[in-house]
Amino acid sequence: MKIQSVVNEVSVEFHDELNPALWDGTEIKLDVQVKLLEIAKKFVEFLNVPDLKLVDIYFMGSNAAYVYTSFSDIDLHLIVDD
């Protein structure tokens, strides 16, 4: 497969609804929310930074918007106070 055809396949798809695998209308599904929080917690533990002050967790990217594709991943941003 040529690079250009991959780029064309994964670029952007516009939808009228959020990804139904993750969202129930405009509310994130509870089981997805629980898993994302578990992932964030495990990552904080992995970092092993003493006195890390986690302020917030942002769910971003195409799966948090109306432009997801079958190749979209999940972007979690952990916000800390340094």
Side-chain angles (χ1 to χ4, degrees):
M1 181 177 277
K2 293 184 177 186
I3 290 176
Q4 187 58 45
S5 63
V6 171
V7 169
N8 288 340
E9 280 185 39
V10 300
S11 53
V12 174
E13 294 176 16
F14 295 96
H15 301 275
D16 293 330
E17 65 178 0
L18 294 167
N19 187 341
L22 304 173
W23 297 88
D24 186 10
T26 58
E27 298 291 323
I28 192 166
K29 291 183 176 182
L30 182 57
D31 60 329
V32 174
Q33 182 178 2
V34 168
K35 286 295 182 185
L36 293 177
L37 290 172
E38 287 176 8
I39 291 166
K41 181 180 176 188
K42 292 280 186 188
F43 185 70
V44 168
E45 290 171 2
F46 168 78
L47 290 175
N48 195 28
V49 175
D51 302 320
L52 182 73
K53 295 179 182 110
L54 182 63
V55 176
D56 208 345
I57 302 169
Y58 292 177
F59 176 22
M60 303 181 78
S62 58
N63 263 315
Y66 296 87
V67 291
Y68 58 90
T69 72
S70 61
F71 297 96
S72 293
D73 62 356
I74 291 176
D75 302 305
L76 284 181
H77 293 224
L78 281 64
I79 310 303
V80 298
D81 182 0
D82 65 350

